[in-house]
Amino acid sequence: MNRIINLITRQPIWIFVFICIVFFSFSSPYFLDIRNFSNILLQASTIGLIALGMTFVMINGNIDLSVGATLALAASLAVGLQPQLGIMGAVLVGLLSGILVGALNGIIAWKTGVDAFIVTLGAMIGVRGLVFIYTEEQAFYAYDLAYSDFGASSLFGIPVLALIFIFLTITAHLVLKYTIHGRNVFAVGGNRVAAKEAGIRVGPHMLLNFILIGFLAALSGILLSTQMGASTPNLGRNYELWTITAVVLGGTRLTGGFGSIIGTLGGVLAIAILRNGMNLLQVPSFYVLIILGSILIIVLCIDKRFSEPKGVGA
C-alpha cells in the first residue's frame, strides 16, 4: 500500500486518470464495458508508442518534432511498396525510413550543436514534403487483406496492437530504470557537461535515442495503417503535439533530467480516456483540445512552482 501511495505522490497524473474513470463510469453506461477498455488501449497505442521514445529524448533534454511526419512516411512506404516488395519487404523499408530519419536528426544535432528543436522542426517540414512527393498527394490502399487483418486481430480478447504497446512499455520501463543506458539518459539530461566529464559519450548516446524514437514513430505509423488498411499523406498531423502533451502530463520535464515511462503511460491513458469518454457523451472533439490544453498549462505551472530538481525519475 505504501508503494502505491508513493507512486501516486510521485505520479499525480494517475490521480487524474482515476478521476476520469470514475466520472465517465457514472456518466455513460458503456464506459465500463470491457470492449470499450480494449478500444481505449487500441486508441492509446499509436500515440503511446511514440511517447515511449519521446520520453527518452526529452529526459535527455532534447525534443523531436518530426515524429508525425516520420509516421506518415513509414506508413506510406509500408503500404505503397507492397505491390513491389510484398508486405514484409515494404514494412522493413518503412521501419528503416524511421531509423534513418532519427539517425539524421541525431547526427545533425550532435555534430553541429544546433538545438534539437530546430533540427527536428526542419525535419518535420522536409519529411512531410517528401511524403507528398512520394504519394503525389494520394492515399494508398493495402490490397492484401492480410495486412489489414493484422490490425484488426486480437489475442485473448485484447487487440494485438494494444499488446504490442503494452510489451514495449514494459521493455522501455526496464531499460530506463535498470540499464546503464537508462542511467545515462538521466545523467545527460540532468547535466550534460558533468555527464561528459564522467566519461559518457554524450553525442552517440543522444544519437541512439533519436534512432529509437524514429523507429517507434515508424512502427506506430505502420500499425496505424494496418488498422486503416490504408495510408494518407496527412497521416500523423499534430501527433508530435499529442505525444509531447502526453509525456509532459506524465511528469517528464521539458528541461530534461527527470521523467519516467510509468508517468508517460499515465499521460497517454489520460488523453485516451478523456477522448473516449467525451466521445461517448457526444461532446464535440474540440472541447477535448480545450480541456487538455488547460490541464497541460496547469500541470506546467504546478511543476514550475513546486518541483525541485531531483535528477532522476521514478
Side-chain angles (χ1 to χ4, degrees), residues 154-232:
S154 61
L155 189 63
F156 306 117
I158 304 175
V160 169
L161 303 191
L163 290 174
I164 292 173
F165 170 55
I166 293 170
F167 171 75
L168 289 178
T169 299
I170 295 172
T171 303
H173 171 69
L174 295 176
V175 169
L176 189 59
K177 194 170 180 64
Y178 297 109
T179 68
I180 294 174
H181 180 77
R183 289 193 289 274
N184 288 348
V185 169
F186 292 107
V188 171
N191 190 324
R192 196 166 295 182
V193 175
K196 193 172 184 179
E197 291 177 349
I200 298 174
R201 299 181 65 196
V202 174
H205 170 83
M206 292 195 302
L207 171 62
L208 188 59
N209 287 332
F210 275 108
I211 291 175
L212 173 66
I213 193 173
F215 169 78
L216 289 173
L219 178 63
S220 177
I222 293 169
L223 294 180
L224 182 59
S225 69
T226 64
Q227 280 183 266
M228 301 166 56
S231 68
T232 67

Side-chain angles (χ1 to χ4, degrees), residues 215-278:
F215 169 78
L216 289 173
L219 178 63
S220 177
I222 293 169
L223 294 180
L224 182 59
S225 69
T226 64
Q227 280 183 266
M228 301 166 56
S231 68
T232 67
N234 281 311
L235 198 66
R237 274 199 183 277
N238 297 328
Y239 271 39
E240 57 279 349
L241 300 180
W242 284 107
T243 304
I244 293 169
T245 300
V247 175
V248 172
L249 284 176
T252 297
R253 295 193 181 143
L254 292 170
T255 51
F258 187 85
S260 72
I261 293 297
I262 293 177
T264 294
L265 175 63
V268 170
L269 290 179
I271 291 176
I273 291 172
L274 196 59
R275 296 175 72 177
N276 176 273
M278 296 190 77

Side-chain angles (χ1 to χ4, degrees), residues 51-218:
L52 298 178
M54 189 68 82
T55 304
F56 280 77
V57 170
M58 287 180 63
I59 294 176
N60 251 178
N62 294 311
I63 202 165
D64 190 343
L65 299 178
S66 66
V67 289
T70 303
L71 178 152
L73 177 64
S76 297
L77 291 171
V79 177
L81 290 176
Q82 286 182 20
Q84 294 82 24
L85 302 177
I87 292 179
M88 288 305 298
V91 167
L92 287 175
V93 172
L95 291 174
L96 184 61
S97 70
I99 292 172
L100 288 176
V101 172
L104 188 61
N105 285 336
I107 289 173
I108 293 176
W110 170 22
K111 293 297 183 182
T112 66
V114 176
D115 194 290
F117 180 91
I118 303 300
V119 173
T120 57
L121 177 63
M124 177 183 73
I125 298 170
V127 172
R128 182 65 69 178
L130 196 61
V131 173
F132 278 103
I133 292 173
Y134 173 64
T135 61
E136 297 180 344
E137 301 184 44
Q138 302 296 318
F140 289 159
Y141 297 94
Y143 294 102
D144 191 335
L145 293 180
Y147 190 72
S148 51
D149 284 347
F150 180 80
S153 61
S154 61
L155 189 63
F156 306 117
I158 304 175
V160 169
L161 303 191
L163 290 174
I164 292 173
F165 170 55
I166 293 170
F167 171 75
L168 289 178
T169 299
I170 295 172
T171 303
H173 171 69
L174 295 176
V175 169
L176 189 59
K177 194 170 180 64
Y178 297 109
T179 68
I180 294 174
H181 180 77
R183 289 193 289 274
N184 288 348
V185 169
F186 292 107
V188 171
N191 190 324
R192 196 166 295 182
V193 175
K196 193 172 184 179
E197 291 177 349
I200 298 174
R201 299 181 65 196
V202 174
H205 170 83
M206 292 195 302
L207 171 62
L208 188 59
N209 287 332
F210 275 108
I211 291 175
L212 173 66
I213 193 173
F215 169 78
L216 289 173

Side-chain angles (χ1 to χ4, degrees), residues 12-33 36-37 40 249 265-281 287-288 291-292 295-296 299:
I13 186 61
W14 289 101
I15 298 176
F16 180 72
V17 171
F18 177 74
I19 292 172
C20 285
I21 291 175
V22 172
F23 175 77
F24 289 120
S25 298
F26 284 102
S27 303
S28 172
Y30 306 107
F31 183 77
L32 286 180
D33 191 298
N36 188 50
F37 274 101
I40 290 174
L249 284 176
L265 175 63
V268 170
L269 290 179
I271 291 176
I273 291 172
L274 196 59
R275 296 175 72 177
N276 176 273
M278 296 190 77
N279 186 48
L280 289 176
L281 297 179
Y287 282 105
V288 178
I291 293 173
L292 280 176
I295 293 172
L296 181 62
V299 168

